Amino acid sequence: MISVNKPEENFLLRQIHPDFFPDGRVQSSAFNPTSRHQYRLSTNNNSMISAHEAFSRHLENGGLTIGVLGITEQDCSKNDLTIDHDGLTEQDIPDDHVSVVFPEPIGNAGKRQNKRMAESLRDEAVARDWFYKP
Amino acid sequence: MDHQPHSTDEEKEIQKDYSDYFLAPKFKGTRFEQHGIPFSFLKDLEHIEKTLFEAIKAFYLEDTKKKRLPFNLEQSVSLVLKGIDKGSAVALIQAERPYSATPVDPIVKPLLDRAKNGMISVVKATQDPTISDDDIAKLLPPKALEMLSRFGKGFGENEQLDFTHGPRKKPVVFNKKTQEKLTQVFVKTSRESFKEIILRGGIYEVSQTQKCFYIKPLKGAAIKCALKRNINDPVTEALRHYLDGEKVKICGVARLKHGHIKEVIEVMSISPLKPRDIGQRLFELRNRKKGWLGPDSIPPSESGLDWLVEQFDKYYPENLPLPYLAPSETNGIIAEWPIGENEASVEFFFETRKGEWLGYRDDFENDDCKELDFNLPDSWFWLVDEIKEMERVASK
């Protein structure tokens, strides 16, 4: 089990679906939201919930996850991605919920751009290693 | 003065009664003119016996509703060439208990007669253009029909065999055309075919005496495969590691019936599955349910996954790096190739069998994206070239 406390920075915790972890490698798809999710990547603010708690709650809510990775707001801004602390403003989602807002892709160039941004977030997150992994 | 024409030897033979024999087929043609049957043809005659045996076995199981044959059924009867009579050459064949020259077991005799009549009816039916292939196939059990279709391959153009020659009997002739017709009937009605295949699975049993091994494929029932000396070592090795979950990939030629693999008749290569093997990975993804990635998400279809495995097996060279595969939210598959510093991907859409390449080049003028129609081999060739190019760039 890996359980890391990294309090010095504000991290956004991302649950990794087991299907996006083929042969021990995180797919960029794990960080690339689609139209089904309105191009918003769901994360949790680790200043409000620990990686372990976020993991357990995700499973309790019927989601699947094999572990938790973390990105920073800086990782997002570097890729021109904005952050929406929607948990603080919307009623039916937890307070700690944060969305990373991707642009709606236009044509192939847009898709490729989104993929590049997802790859970048994935690479940063993987470099930091797991925040929690049973 | 007798004005009646003299009977030839052959005509006299025709009048002979061979009813004491189980079968007395008459051979005609150059090779049989000297009242003999060439040695080379005797092997062919064996298929008659095999036809009858297969029919007996099927009739027994059908009549008794049993699932197993008595162990001595096949040993209880033997066809013996007792002699060759003139005319051109009449093979005098008797059905006996093996090694004893005594009559066949009374339980087996009716089955044997039924098998013989079925065989002759099939040959007769092939001469009647009004009888369909399906109706011909109903006259004998499938395995018996298969054996009969192998008989007569050695016939020359003007050679033939008459099963029921004699007075007041309409000839039932078997010649090269009959053999071709029976092959056609068998292939058509059994829907049997042969195909090069790739199988993945675990080897759980090897029989050195029967020269075969059994593989439990990732999907479906166990399949028997022919074992030859050249693959003995890898097969044994795979068997040893079966309980550790080791799986192998087999390339070979299979006999198919109704589109399903019945057995692998020749194994051309066998190797342990590589990490990220496409077939293994896509098999793991086949049991996803609706909602696998949140409400309304639909998993990749089984037919789509099967198609993708088949295409990779067909077009993607063994020596190229395998991609990492994950399901996509568009109900297809995303394949990612991280090679060196670069990464490229293809999203496969199963409904259209098309895909979208997102390349690794940061060249905005020549946008490294491409829509590909994977129904076309050219798209696969293009993809393979791109991956080769990525490898080349990475090795610089």
Side-chain angles (χ1 to χ4, degrees), chain B residues 158-362:
Chain B
N158 299 313
E159 294 174 344
Q160 67 172 52
L161 176 153
D162 180 359
F163 270 112
T164 56
H165 58 96
R168 295 179 301 282
K169 284 188 180 170
K170 200 177 168 193
V172 180
V173 170
F174 195 117
N175 55 22
K176 207 164 180 61
K177 279 186 182 167
T178 318
Q179 194 275 323
E180 287 164 4
K181 172 75 177 170
L182 282 173
T183 302
Q184 174 200 313
V185 170
F186 173 67
V187 169
K188 190 177 162 195
T189 56
S190 69
R191 309 284 189 269
E192 190 170 77
S193 57
F194 297 89
K195 190 183 170 189
E196 280 193 21
I197 51 97
I198 291 177
L199 274 180
R200 294 168 172 86
I203 293 174
Y204 68 93
E205 189 179 331
V206 176
S207 170
Q208 300 282 3
T209 51
Q210 291 178 22
K211 291 182 181 150
C212 70
F213 65 92
Y214 293 87
I215 183 168
K216 175 74 186 76
L218 297 176
K219 185 180 158 188
I223 293 170
K224 184 180 175 182
C225 306
L227 177 63
K228 286 191 180 159
R229 194 177 289 274
N230 62 327
I231 55 163
N232 204 36
D233 289 347
V235 167
T236 314
E237 191 64 16
L239 175 71
R240 192 177 303 139
H241 296 291
Y242 176 71
L243 290 178
D244 306 327
E246 181 165 309
K247 294 188 172 61
V248 292
K249 182 174 170 183
I250 285 177
C251 304
V253 178
R255 183 170 66 84
L256 288 85
K257 197 168 181 184
H258 302 292
H260 298 290
I261 297 173
K262 301 309 284 183
E263 65 176 328
V264 176
I265 58 168
E266 189 182 353
V267 176
M268 294 182 294
S269 72
I270 174 170
S271 55
L273 280 194
K274 287 181 182 172
R276 308 201 301 278
D277 176 80
I278 300 289
Q280 167 85 25
R281 173 65 182 150
L282 293 181
F283 176 76
E284 287 164 10
L285 295 176
R286 75 177 47 242
N287 294 322
R288 297 296 176 271
K289 293 184 176 137
K290 197 179 171 198
W292 70 277
L293 193 68
D296 304 331
S297 55
I298 298 168
S301 66
E302 270 207 36
S303 60
L305 293 169
D306 287 343
W307 168 78
L308 194 55
V309 176
E310 205 173 291
Q311 298 298 301
F312 263 97
D313 281 345
K314 196 167 175 183
Y315 296 112
Y316 198 78
E318 288 265 336
N319 57 350
L320 281 190
L322 291 167
Y324 291 84
L325 303 175
S328 73
E329 288 192 59
T330 53
N331 322 333
I333 288 288
I334 293 183
E336 288 186 353
W337 283 265
I339 299 174
E341 297 287 301
N342 293 317
E343 181 172 320
S345 69
V346 170
E347 182 169 0
F348 293 94
F349 307 110
F350 285 167
E351 278 180 22
T352 55
R353 307 283 201 249
K354 289 183 178 175
E356 206 166 77
W357 160 267
L358 288 178
Y360 57 96
R361 301 175 188 91
D362 281 324

Side-chain angles (χ1 to χ4, degrees), chain A residues 71-124:
Chain A
I71 52 173
T72 64
E73 291 198 22
Q74 205 184 356
D75 297 335
C76 299
S77 58
K78 212 165 60 183
N79 284 290
D80 296 327
L81 292 167
T82 56
I83 301 295
D84 181 2
H85 291 268
D86 45 11
L88 299 174
T89 54
E90 290 186 30
Q91 294 284 326
D92 50 353
I93 49 176
D95 290 353
D96 54 74
H97 192 271
V98 179
S99 291
V100 179
V101 185
F102 277 63
E104 187 171 334
I106 299 165
N108 285 337
K111 283 182 188 172
R112 193 185 66 150
Q113 193 190 355
N114 279 14
K115 177 135 194 315
R116 288 277 181 272
M117 292 189 288
E119 284 172 13
S120 168
L121 293 184
R122 185 265 322 270
D123 292 345
E124 298 285 359

